[in-house]
Amino acid sequence: MNLERQQANVHRGGRGAFKTLTSVMLNSRLFWTGLALLIILLVNLQISPNFFEIRMVNDRLIGSIINILDNSAPYILLAIGMTLVIATKGIDLSVGAVMAICAAVAVTLIKQYEAGSTEFYVQPGFVILITIGVGAICGLWNGILIAFLNLQPIIATLILMVAGRGVAQLITNGQSPTFTNDTLAFVGRGVVWGVPFPIYIAFIALILITLLVRRTALGLLIESVGVNDRASYYAGIQANTIKVFVYVLSGVCAAIAGMIVAGEVKSADPHKAGLFSELDAILAVVIGGTSLLGGRFYLTLSVMGVLIIQSMLVGLYVSTLHPTTNLVVKAVVVLAVLLLQSPEFRRFITQPFRRLR
Amino acid sequence: MRFTKLSLVLLILLALVVPASYAQENENEDQGAGLTIGFSQIGSESAWRTSFTEAVIAEAAERGINLLFSDAQQSQENQIAAIRAWLAQGDVDAIILAPVIESGWDSVLQEAADMGVPVIIVDRNVNADESLYVTRVSSDFVHEGRLAAAWLVQETSGNCNVVELYGTVGSAAAEDRHTGFAEVIALFSNVQIIQSQTGNFVRTEGKQVMASILSSTDPSTICAVFAHNDDMAIGAIEAIKEAGLVPAVDILVVSVDAIPDIFDSMDAGETNATVELSPFMGGPAFDAVVAYLNGEELPKWIPVGGGLYTSRADYDADR
């Protein structure tokens, strides 16, 4: 991306390459975001001396780092979808509610299977496909409202955010159904080669979507629509199709995240599954440097944003701070990370020292 | 020394159980048939809330009470509007209010008092003048915390490092359960809360918090988990199992609520004890209405539920 382009310039330049490389590094978002993550992990190490320790229990790796990745998995999926949505100058407030709907759909269907129903659509494999389909339909609904009815994204997705939880409650009759089926549970708590399965889902999704948007023109088209959808349309880009696509993708990501959350504890909670997760997803995207005004987007950095938030949470969990401090600590850390990334702020801080030189 | 401590625990248990059983004695022949009662409920944000609503509706039907039900969907304005509508129609004999928040009820309660319509507060508290309502029917969260602590102290003979899974910070249920629990264990120098973190009353967060704590602390130093609700306990049990430990044996599990799932977990031998948060507040509330209309004096607070159960059979026997 930006970094690679600048590094190429460095090689062309030749002279003073080291100095330029350092300045490229200091101006790169990846560096500062990575530094923020590293600092948080080091603080965690101070809180809990065995923070980086990983042991093997019953063929499953146990350790704080594994916990962070495991907890991050659903948010990584949400952040991937959200990044692309935000890149088109949109926003998707409905992802938390879509998670709740999809968890409710999956668990309700799987319960029929457990009750002995032999219909093809309650077979575990189909249940997973249907759930993904439901997520896609939710995304399609958002996309159509935004692209073809020209509703503002924040309002269009707010409709589903509010109604979605009600829909989820209707599906489960207001209860929190539990299930025992191992296939659906595997999505949220399976273990492959010692590593929890959700981690694979999240990183495979990251790789696939990155390839999709960077190896084809799609990423460029998304950025173009985000910068100016009308100009893109006149340039021959199907702006509306692109918009519908990103919302559908966001819905699918939310559906998988919903199944992970449901599988993790073998139950669907229509009231609280994914509650406020849209805000954490948006926060991760912003930490990752994608502007809410659309255009340029950074998938990998959004994922690092998720890891920053979750590392901080796990740090709080193992600390002995009273839970009342959680939200304030979270706010302070987010502010610090954003300031660390801001070139203006860094210049402001380093200015007095520069004058000395 | 140990004997005095154990007898202290038993004394606490006795002190806790006696008022609880006293509250259940009110079997009245006058059930309130033919009365019209308005019931303003907070919403349907949790499975517990839904079963609370259903229990009230079922109880009213059984007694032949004409119940006007209003779901406020988490909004105090909706509750005030519903109460004003009932007062304006002038056909309700009493109002049962499950308030969404504590403050801001004075004026509407005053209106009801001026109209001579008695108001019974259920579940959460209001901080209005006591003269404005007849009585309050609710669980005693502090009592629930005390009961859980007393059970734990007794079970471990006063030696236990506890992980506390806090509910939503600032909610009365979480704060009071913590207060009650801390109050009792403060009497035993070898019982301590070594970690306390919030899981927001949610299953997944309960699991995540417990998994984090098990990764960072030597699990053999943890003797028990006290969860502020059953959902977080069920999440924590998953984390304990994933860490290769046996829940309810290696790490004791005690929580509050008595939802159906926790009894499944008890049947599987993975939970030790739960304290009931009774959803059956309709009966005592209707009894209070009838007693008030008969001119009886009522205490300003009628606590309900709150037994500690270690098996499904015990719980079913009390129903």
Side-chain angles (χ1 to χ4, degrees):
Chain A
M1 295 178 290
N2 200 14
L3 179 69
E4 291 154 0
R5 220 170 291 155
Q6 279 170 332
Q7 271 169 343
N9 288 339
V10 170
H11 288 300
R12 245 169 271 147
R15 207 155 63 95
F18 178 73
K19 199 173 176 189
T20 332
L21 192 66
T22 322
S23 87
V24 165
M25 205 171 78
L26 288 179
N27 286 317
S28 116
R29 270 206 102 83
L30 183 67
F31 172 76
W32 291 104
T33 313
L35 184 69
L37 181 57
L38 189 70
I39 292 173
I40 289 171
L41 290 176
L42 289 177
V43 170
N44 286 350
L45 184 65
Q46 284 301 307
I47 294 169
S48 150
N50 54 358
F51 191 78
F52 291 101
E53 224 168 76
I54 293 179
R55 54 208 158 83
M56 195 80 168
V57 179
N58 297 341
D59 294 331
R60 185 188 191 282
L61 293 172
I62 297 282
S64 298
I65 296 295
I66 302 290
N67 289 340
I68 290 173
L69 291 172
D70 196 11
N71 298 351
S72 297
Y75 290 99
I76 289 177
L77 287 163
L78 296 183
I80 290 172
M82 189 69 77
T83 305
L84 297 187
V85 167
I86 287 178
T88 65
K89 209 178 188 171
I91 199 146
D92 190 350
L93 295 181
S94 70
V95 289
V98 173
M99 275 173 77
I101 293 176
C102 292
V105 167
V107 174
T108 307
L109 287 176
I110 214 78
K111 276 189 85 72
Q112 289 181 22
Y113 174 73
E114 283 171 359
S117 170
T118 51
E119 302 282 351
F120 74 95
Y121 59 83
V122 300
Q123 305 302 315
F126 275 103
V127 169
I128 291 173
L129 287 179
I130 290 171
T131 307
I132 291 175
V134 170
I137 292 170
C138 292
L140 190 64
W141 161 266
N142 284 334
I144 289 174
L145 288 185
I146 291 158
F148 294 101
L149 300 180
N150 268 330
L151 290 190
Q152 301 217 18
I154 198 165
I155 297 303
T157 56
L158 186 70
I159 294 169
L160 190 55
M161 173 184 171
V162 175
R165 254 166 226 291
V167 172
Q169 286 168 27
L170 280 177
I171 293 171
T172 66
N173 286 326
Q175 304 295 313
S176 302
T178 53
F179 66 96
T180 52
N181 179 275
D182 286 331
T183 312
L184 185 57
F186 192 85
V187 177
R189 51 192 276 164
V191 174
V192 181
W193 298 312
V195 178
F197 189 58
I199 300 177
Y200 292 97
I201 300 180
F203 283 93
I204 289 172
L206 173 65
I207 292 167
L208 287 182
I209 304 286
T210 305
L211 287 178
L212 179 69
V213 296
R214 297 300 181 199
R215 293 288 156 189
T216 70
L218 188 63
L220 202 60
L221 300 185
I222 288 173
E223 288 181 354
S224 156
V225 169
V227 172
N228 190 333
D229 58 346
R230 179 134 306 184
S232 308
Y233 177 73
Y234 289 134
I237 297 171
Q238 299 265 346
N240 286 347
T241 317
I242 298 275
K243 283 187 190 172
V244 171
F245 170 79
V246 293
Y247 285 97
V248 169
L249 187 74
S250 178
V252 168
C253 286
I256 302 173
M259 280 191 285
I260 292 177
V261 169
E264 201 175 13
V265 287
K266 293 190 177 178
S267 96
D269 186 339
H271 312 285
K272 288 171 185 155
L275 195 61
F276 302 130
S277 59
E278 58 279 343
L279 299 180
D280 272 340
I282 294 169
L283 185 60
V285 173
V286 171
I287 290 177
T290 304
S291 162
L292 289 177
L293 296 174
R296 267 259 154 83
F297 67 91
Y298 311 95
L299 283 172
T300 318
L301 289 180
S302 296
V303 171
M304 284 177 79
V306 173
L307 293 178
I308 285 177
I309 296 171
Q310 294 299 324
S311 304
M312 176 186 66
L313 278 180
V314 167
L316 278 171
Y317 291 159
V318 302
S319 76
T320 45
L321 285 176
H322 191 264
T324 40
T325 56
N326 280 12
L327 295 175
V328 175
V329 173
K330 187 174 171 182
V332 169
V333 171
V334 168
L335 181 67
V337 170
L338 292 177
L339 286 180
L340 189 63
Q341 289 175 334
S342 150
E344 286 78 10
F345 181 76
R346 290 201 304 265
R347 208 172 304 134
F348 176 73
I349 291 291
T350 51
Q351 217 153 32
F353 303 104
R354 279 195 189 149
R355 286 211 189 107
L356 285 176
R357 256 190 266 164
Chain B
M1 193 61 193
R2 172 165 293 179
F3 271 112
T4 56
K5 275 188 179 175
L6 273 182
S7 52
L8 189 60
V9 173
L10 290 176
L11 205 66
I12 293 168
L13 274 173
L14 203 65
L16 295 171
V17 170
V18 166
S21 54
Y22 165 77
Q24 290 167 349
E25 269 170 22
N26 253 336
E27 284 299 321
N28 217 320
E29 67 280 357
D30 185 0
Q31 301 278 295
L35 291 178
T36 298
I37 296 177
F39 173 38
S40 173
Q41 174 64 290
I42 294 173
S44 55
E45 76 280 2
S46 67
W48 181 83
R49 180 78 50 198
T50 318
S51 55
F52 171 19
T53 305
E54 282 166 3
V56 172
I57 291 171
E59 180 78 25
E62 197 174 292
R63 290 172 180 235
I65 290 171
N66 175 27
L67 190 76
L68 307 175
F69 175 69
S70 158
D71 181 333
Q73 296 175 345
Q74 313 297 324
S75 150
Q76 184 178 27
E77 288 97 90
N78 289 347
Q79 294 199 296
I80 292 175
I83 293 172
R84 290 213 168 114
W86 289 328
L87 293 175
Q89 281 167 8
D91 55 359
V92 288
D93 299 300
I95 288 170
I96 296 175
L97 168 65
V100 60
I101 55 169
E102 293 197 356
S103 54
W105 294 102
D106 302 72
S107 61
V108 72
L109 289 179
Q110 186 66 54
E111 286 166 36
D114 293 346
M115 306 267 298
V117 176
V119 177
I120 316 275
I121 311 292
V122 292
D123 189 22
R124 296 178 190 170
N125 204 351
V126 292
N127 55 17
D129 192 275
E130 280 194 353
S131 64
L132 293 176
Y133 57 85
V134 175
T135 183
R136 189 160 77 81
V137 176
S138 75
S139 300
D140 183 348
F141 299 134
V142 180
H143 166 85
E144 292 163 1
R146 285 187 197 131
L147 256 190
W151 176 86
L152 201 59
V153 168
Q154 196 181 28
E155 193 70 14
T156 60
S157 308
N159 285 298
C160 194
N161 289 333
V162 186
V163 168
E164 181 185 37
L165 296 178
Y166 222 90
T168 304
V169 174
S171 69
E175 302 298 336
D176 290 355
R177 281 170 193 165
H178 169 80
T179 307
F181 190 84
E183 211 171 78
V184 172
I185 65 167
L187 303 171
F188 300 89
S189 54
N190 290 333
V191 183
Q192 279 162 348
I193 296 177
I194 52 168
Q195 290 268 11
S196 176
Q197 253 306 328
T198 178
N200 286 316
F201 289 130
V202 186
R203 232 173 250 206
T204 29
E205 289 189 42
K207 183 185 172 187
Q208 291 174 359
V209 172
M210 195 65 203
S212 305
I213 292 172
L214 287 173
S215 304
S216 70
T217 319
D218 177 9
S220 64
T221 62
I222 301 171
C223 131
V225 177
F226 167 51
H228 286 183
N229 79 346
D230 288 342
D231 277 316
M232 290 191 295
I234 289 169
I237 288 167
E238 296 295 332
I240 293 171
K241 284 198 280 189
E242 278 180 5
L245 300 164
V246 186
V249 178
D250 294 333
I251 296 179
L252 303 177
V253 180
V254 55
S255 58
V256 185
D257 268 5
I259 62 171
D261 289 358
I262 202 77
F263 291 107
D264 293 341
S265 171
M266 269 183 202
D267 290 347
E270 294 175 344
T271 299
N272 298 94
T274 187
V275 181
E276 182 196 25
L277 172 68
S278 176
F280 302 103
M281 286 188 253
F286 294 140
D287 286 342
V289 171
V290 172
Y292 176 82
L293 294 178
N294 288 342
E296 288 173 34
E297 276 291 319
L298 288 167
K300 280 296 169 185
W301 182 31
I302 303 174
V304 290
L308 183 136
Y309 298 96
T310 53
S311 76
R312 186 192 291 273
D314 286 358
Y315 183 74
D316 288 346
D318 268 12
R319 292 278 73 76

